[in-house]
Amino acid sequence: TRFVASLAGLLIALDAFLAGFGPLLHVDSLLAMSMFTASLAIVWAWKSEDHETTRWVIAGCVAAVAVLTRTTGLALGIPLLIAAFFVWKYSGLRGAIRAVGGWTIGFLTVFVAGWPALWVNPVTTAKAMIDWTIGAASDGHENPLFFGGEIYSGDPGLIFYPVTMLWRT
């Protein structure tokens, strides 16, 4: 399992699209790397002998970096819930509470520290983020996009994403 995780990390780190395109134009490369790291941290914490709280705190810290990068990082809740279920199944309720509690402490610490607007007006800031995220998801792309020989003013459809990934990879 260490070999597979190391190989996957190496392939992501050396991916030409993420390494070349990301730092110049887009946050997706940082999101991909931080979500991958956060997922590995969840597995690392889950696989510890006594489900060390420190490992769960570290996993939460890394997850906060992903969410601060882009709100789609919230998808990390899925691997967290899966890991918490298995911790509960094999270690009981106390272990699951320690795991989720440690993760939440790490997450909230980095999330709040990394987003100073929350220090001043947390409710308005969070509401603005949620409203913008919902609006961006429903509106699609705001800039024209050339794809498949045509210029699109909105989202070109689902086929755009696999074709783009193949071309960029």
Side-chain angles (χ1 to χ4, degrees):
T1 57
R2 284 186 184 189
F3 173 75
V4 173
S6 300
L7 180 63
L10 186 63
L11 289 174
I12 288 176
L14 297 178
D15 183 273
F17 169 68
L18 293 176
F21 177 67
L24 297 175
L25 303 173
H26 218 277
V27 297
D28 285 342
S29 64
L30 180 58
L31 176 69
M33 290 182 207
S34 59
M35 283 186 72
F36 179 72
T37 305
S39 297
L40 287 180
I42 289 170
V43 172
W44 175 63
W46 169 37
K47 291 292 189 177
S48 66
E49 288 292 321
D50 57 353
H51 303 292
E52 293 176 46
T53 305
T54 306
R55 289 186 180 200
W56 287 103
V57 171
I58 292 169
C61 292
V62 178
V65 171
V67 176
L68 285 169
T69 303
R70 198 160 190 170
T71 54
T72 50
L74 290 171
L76 287 167
I78 295 169
L80 172 66
L81 290 175
I82 292 169
F85 169 77
F86 283 107
V87 170
W88 168 72
K89 185 175 178 182
Y90 296 111
S91 300
L93 184 60
R94 176 174 272 154
I97 290 172
R98 279 182 50 206
V100 173
W103 188 92
T104 303
I105 288 168
F107 180 88
L108 289 176
T109 301
V110 171
F111 190 76
V112 172
W115 197 1
L118 287 176
W119 307 350
V120 179
N121 198 346
V123 174
T124 304
T125 301
K127 185 181 178 326
M129 180 197 71
I130 292 167
D131 290 345
W132 185 90
T133 300
I134 291 170
S138 63
D139 293 343
H141 302 282
E142 60 261 352
N143 296 325
L145 178 70
F146 183 76
F147 174 69
E150 295 182 39
I151 297 176
Y152 291 88
S153 293
D155 193 350
L158 289 177
I159 192 68
F160 170 77
Y161 300 99
V163 168
T164 302
M165 284 185 66
L166 285 172
W167 277 109
R168 291 180 177 174
T169 299

